[in-house]
C-alpha cells in the first residue's frame, strides 16, 4: 500500500553535521549522501514491494573488474575496471546480468545494497511504462493530442502535440535544458518542481510553471528531438488522468509488485503533489536491475512472467519514420550517431539491439537485447554530465560487452 510522507516547509536537512540540506544537496561533495536521502527533503510516495521478492540468480563465477583493462578517457593510458569506476565515473554501485544471471555486483562510496538511490532521468524510461499499459488497455491513443487527456492545457500549443511525440521527446515546444547555463529556463523549472528552495518568483509546482514557461511551439511537433524533462511529468499526468489513480499507486499495482522487488521505492512529488516522473524515483540497485530487465525481455520479469505489454517494448526497437531524422537534428546526436529515442528510451545503434537509460551524476542502464546483457549503475559524478563521463561510460560498456559476450 502506497504511503505518503509530507515534508514541512523549511531547510529540509539531510545531514545537519555536514551542512547538507535542500539548497546544497547537489554540491559535489554532498552527492554520495544526498542521493540516497531523497526521502529527507521531498514530499514522497513510498511504494511497497511484494511479500516475496523474486530472487536474483547469481552465476558461479563472477566477473572481476580489476582483471579488465580500459583506455583512460582523454589519454592512451590503461586503467583497470575498478579504477575506471572509482576515478572517472565516480560510481556508487554496479550490477551486471548476463543471460538471466548476476555476474557482477559491487558497491562503492558508502552505498549499501539496501540503500535507495535516486535514479534521476533513468526514471523517465522506468515510469513511462505506465503509458504502455494505458495504450494496451485502450485508454490512450498514442496519435491523439495530449490535451485529450490533459484538457487543462487546451489553450496552449500542447494541443498540437501527440502523446507519442511526447514519449519520443519530439514535442516541438519551446524549452532548453542546458545544465551548464545558470540562466537557462530549466533552472526555474527545477525550483518550481522542488529540486531547490523556491525564490520569490518561483511558481508553486510543475503545472503552474508549465503553463507559463512551456506553452508555445518553437518547431513543428515531430520534427526534432529536444530533451525536455518537463514533458515526462506530463506523461505521468496522462496515466493518472485515464486511470484515476496516482502514479505511485499505478507503479506499485502494475509494475513494482510484479517484478519481485525486495525493497520499497520512493516516488518524489512536487509542491502541488505531481509525481516527478522525469527524475525522482529512488530504488535499491537490485530493484533497478529487476525493473530494467523488463526492457530486456519485452515486459517479462526475471521469473518469465509477462508483467507489462510486450508491444510497448517491441515498439522501441521497431524502426519508425521520422525518428532518425528527428534525432539527427537534435543536440544529442553526437552521443549516439546511429541512435534515436523512442518511448523515453535511447536506442544506441542502427540495429536497434542496444538500449540505454541515462541520468545525471552517473545513473545509467545499458542493455544488449541480442546478448541478454544488462548493466545498471548508480553514481555521484561531480557534474551533471560532461565529456569525460560520457566517454568513460561508453568505454566501460564496450569493454564489458567484449569481455562478457565475446571472450577470447
Amino acid at each position: 500500500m502506497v504511503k505518503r510522507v509530507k515534508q514541512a516547509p523549511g531547510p529540509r536537512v539531510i545531514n545537519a553535521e555536514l551542512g547538507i540540506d535542500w539548497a546544497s544537496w547537489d554540491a559535489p561533495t554532498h552527492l554520495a549522501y544526498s542521493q540516497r536521502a531523497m526521502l529527507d527533503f521531498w514530499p514522497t510516495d513510498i511504494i511497497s514491494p511484494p511479500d516475496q521478492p523474486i530472487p536474483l540468480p547469481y552465476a558461479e563465477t563472477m566477473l572481476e573488474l580489476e582483471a579488465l583493462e580500459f583506455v583512460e578517457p582523454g589519454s592512451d593510458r590503461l586503467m583497470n575496471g575498478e579504477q575506471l569506476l572509482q576515478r572517472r565515473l565516480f560510481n556508487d554501485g554496479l550490477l551486471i546480468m548476463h543471460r538471466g544471471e548476476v555476474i557482477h555486483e559491487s558497491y562503492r562510496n558508502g552505498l549499501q545494497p539496501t540503500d535507495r538511490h535516486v535514479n534521476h532521468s533513468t526514471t523517465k524510461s522506468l515510469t513511462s511504462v505506465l503509458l504502455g499499459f494505458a495504450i494496451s488497455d485502450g485508454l490512450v491513443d498514442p496519435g491523439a493530442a495530449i490535451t485529450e487527456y490533459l484538457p487543462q492545457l487546451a489553450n496552449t500549443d500542447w494541443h498540437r502535440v501527440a502523446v507519442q511525440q511526447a514519449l519520443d521527446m519530439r514535442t516541438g515546444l519551446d524549452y532548453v535544458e542546458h545544465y551548464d547555463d545558470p540562466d537557462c529556463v530549466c533552472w526555474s523549472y527545477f525550483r518550481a518542481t522542488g529540486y531547490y528552495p523556491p525564490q520569490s518568483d518561483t511558481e508553486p509546482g510543475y503545472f503552474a510553471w508549465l503553463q507559463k514557461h512551456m506553452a508555445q511551439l518553437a518547431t513543428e511537433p515531430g520534427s526534432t528531438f529536444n530533451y525536455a524533462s518537463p514533458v515526462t511529468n506530463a506523461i505521468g499526468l496522462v496515466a493518472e488522468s485515464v486511470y484515476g489513480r496516482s502514479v505511485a499507486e499505478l507503479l506499485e499495482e502494475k509494475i513494482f509488485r510484479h517484478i519481485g522487488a525486495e525493497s520499497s521505492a520512493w516516488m518524489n512529488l512536487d509542491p502541488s503533489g505531481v509525481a516527478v516522473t522525469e527524475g525522482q524515483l529512488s530504488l535499491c540497485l537490485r530493484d533497478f536491475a529487476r525493473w530494467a530487465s523488463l526492457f530486456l525481455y519485452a515486459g517479462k520479469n526475471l521469473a518469465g512472467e509477462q508483467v507489462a505489454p510486450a508491444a510497448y517494448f517491441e515498439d522501441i526497437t521497431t524502426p519508425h519514420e521520422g525518428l532518425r531524422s528527428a534525432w539527427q537534428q537534435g543536440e544529442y546526436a553526437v552521443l549516439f550517431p546511429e541512435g534515436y529515442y523512442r518511448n523515453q528510451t535511447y536506442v544506441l545503434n542502427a540495429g536497434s539491439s542496444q538500449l540505454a537509460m541515462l541520468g545525471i551524476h552517473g545513473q545509467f542502464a545499458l542493455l544488449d537485447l541480442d546478448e541478454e546483457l544488462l548493466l545498471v549503475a548508480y553514481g555521484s559524478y561531480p557534474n551533471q554530465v560532461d565529456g569525460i563521463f560520457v566517454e568513460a561510460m561508453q568505454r566501460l560498456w564496450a569493454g564489458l560487452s567484449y569481455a562478457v559476450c565475446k571472450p577470447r
Side-chain angles (χ1 to χ4, degrees), residues 214-279:
M214 197 176 174
Q216 296 181 328
L217 292 176
T219 60
E220 185 67 20
S223 64
T224 304
F225 171 83
N226 180 38
Y227 188 82
S229 287
V231 170
T232 315
N233 291 340
I235 291 170
L237 287 173
V238 168
E240 288 191 343
S241 173
V242 299
Y243 283 110
R245 305 185 68 185
S246 73
V247 162
E249 288 174 317
L250 293 170
L251 292 174
E252 181 179 285
E253 173 191 316
K254 293 181 175 295
I255 299 175
F256 205 60
R257 287 185 171 272
H258 301 286
I259 60 172
E262 64 184 68
S263 302
S264 61
W266 304 335
M267 184 77 255
N268 295 141
L269 312 172
D270 85 344
S272 69
V274 170
V276 187
T277 51
E278 54 87 356

Side-chain angles (χ1 to χ4, degrees), residues 2 5 49 59 81 100 141 160 186 207 225 233 241 280 309 348-349 365 373:
V2 170
V5 177
D141 175 1
R160 294 185 56 192
C186 68
F207 212 71
F225 171 83
N233 291 340
S241 173
Q280 285 305 120
L348 305 187
N349 63 336
L373 179 64

Side-chain angles (χ1 to χ4, degrees), residues 350-368:
S352 302
S353 63
Q354 295 188 354
L355 311 179
M357 311 171 193
L358 303 175
I360 58 171
H361 297 301
Q363 326 323 313
F364 56 91
L366 299 167
L367 305 92
D368 189 317

Side-chain angles (χ1 to χ4, degrees), residues 14 21 30 43 57 63 91 93 101-102 106 135 154 170 183 188-189 199 201 234 262 283 289 396 403 408:
I14 299 168
D21 60 21
H30 295 173
L63 181 69
N91 178 261
E101 291 187 322
V102 177
S106 57
I135 293 167
R170 295 185 295 145
D183 297 320
S188 70
Y189 159 73
Q199 297 179 352
D201 60 348
E262 64 184 68
L283 301 166
L396 176 73
R408 297 178 182 177

Side-chain angles (χ1 to χ4, degrees), residues 5 23 79 88 99-100 116 141 147 172 248 250 276 335 343 384:
V5 177
M79 52 180 17
R88 297 299 176 269
R99 304 205 182 282
R116 286 73 160 177
D141 175 1
T147 50
L250 293 170
V276 187
L335 299 180
N343 291 349
Q384 283 90 356

Side-chain angles (χ1 to χ4, degrees), residues 330-342:
E331 295 180 331
Y332 283 37
V334 65
L335 299 180
F336 312 120
E338 299 299 321
Y340 61 89
Y341 193 83
R342 184 71 168 181

